[in-house]
DNA sequence: TATTGTTATACTCTATAACTATA
DNA sequence: TATAGTTATAGAGTATAACAATA
């Protein structure tokens, strides 16, 4: 993380020119701010990143999924998953469970410790997320989420109510 | 970049659970999608990333700024700037100009080549950005930018973009 | 003393390619 | 042949710590 603003008084120098009208620019700025807020409010306490948190949620909500499926879900290559799973397993949060039907495959599951940790982390994340978006009222926040969703999920059917669905195994 | 969706027909497996209500999650997804779109539409042609593009814009819009000022603007450490400036200078896009008043300092400037390249890249970026946000009409797009800006710039006085105003300058 | 640019080093994230053991 | 997991390797990107030159 870069140091806190070293010169709060001085002119902020930078004009952004035409980027002020580019959605991608604002998206990047907002995401960077969100990441930092997460790191400060959750990561510093729980030693976790948004990416790792997302993986835990994916495993928790889709128990037994394979590493390849997790890779697809996280939108990264299979090979990139290995070390992450190693780490989560090393922390005792998840386990690789050999599939009885396909001996090439592992089924990923939360451990009891992992499930407990995730609930704790999740509470922190949700609180942090509310603080981060405190400048928006509930309507604005919902609007923002809806607009963002349409950007990255063109087939989006207004997804708010998806929470709570298990892994439909 | 990960490979294209390997199983278009099969169920997408993953339920996101409580993350569906976390703004940070949607922010991350949207930003990732924007980054990929940029890489595909601009990066593949111009060999540039959103970060490098942002640096070029910062230098172009604030000619003569120091590397430290650029680091503050990009919100990274001074030391992280060095190699990037090396690369941009190596490509002939910018120059390190020794400051006559402070011999520790370089003033960063675009070269003629760099200025030309930036204009070309900028056109591509703006076009790409419009394609990426094509699912939103002008009002929605402006609303989205306004909401995002309020997230990362708490002092923001609702910049240009207001509901109903297109992106015209 | 503080600042500017720099180097050395390390860590994270991610990709590609090749390997293995299965299927 | 194709798939699941793995390893080796490489390249961004970024941080910290220390250093020289300069202020």
């Amino acid at each position: 993380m870069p140091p806190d603003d070293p010169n709060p008084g001085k002119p902020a120098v930078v004009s952004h020119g035409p980027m002020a009208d580019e959605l991608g620019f604002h998206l990047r700025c907002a995401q960077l701010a969100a990441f930092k807020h997460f790191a400060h409010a959750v990561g510093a306490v729980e030693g976790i990143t948004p990416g790792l948190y997302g993986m835990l949620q994916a495993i928790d909500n889709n128990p037994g999924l394979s590493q390849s499926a997790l890779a697809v879900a996280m939108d990264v290559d299979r090979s990139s998953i290995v070390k992450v799973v190693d780490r989560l397993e090393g922390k005792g949060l998840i386990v690789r469970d050999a599939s009885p039907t396909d001996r090439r495959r592992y089924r990923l599951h939360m451990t009891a410790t992992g499930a407990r940790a995730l609930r704790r982390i999740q509470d922190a994340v949700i609180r942090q997320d509310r603080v981060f978006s405190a400048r928006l009222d509930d309507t604005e926040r919902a609007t923002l989420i809806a607009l963002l969703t349409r950007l990255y999920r063109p087939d989006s059917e207004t997804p708010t109510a998806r929470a709570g669905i298990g892994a439909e195994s």
Side-chain angles (χ1 to χ4, degrees), chain A residues 1-2 25-39 50 132:
Chain A
M1 219 180 310
F25 171 69
H26 297 284
L27 222 35
R28 197 154 62 89
C29 291
Q31 206 272 329
L32 183 60
F35 198 98
K36 286 189 175 184
H37 197 273
F38 186 106
F132 175 69

Side-chain angles (χ1 to χ4, degrees), chain A residues 145-168:
Chain A
I145 288 179
L147 290 172
L148 290 172
T149 303
R150 280 171 55 199
L151 282 181
Y152 70 84
R153 198 189 298 163
D155 56 307
S156 90
E157 333 93 28
T158 316
T160 40
R162 280 295 155 122
I165 298 181
E168 71 234 33

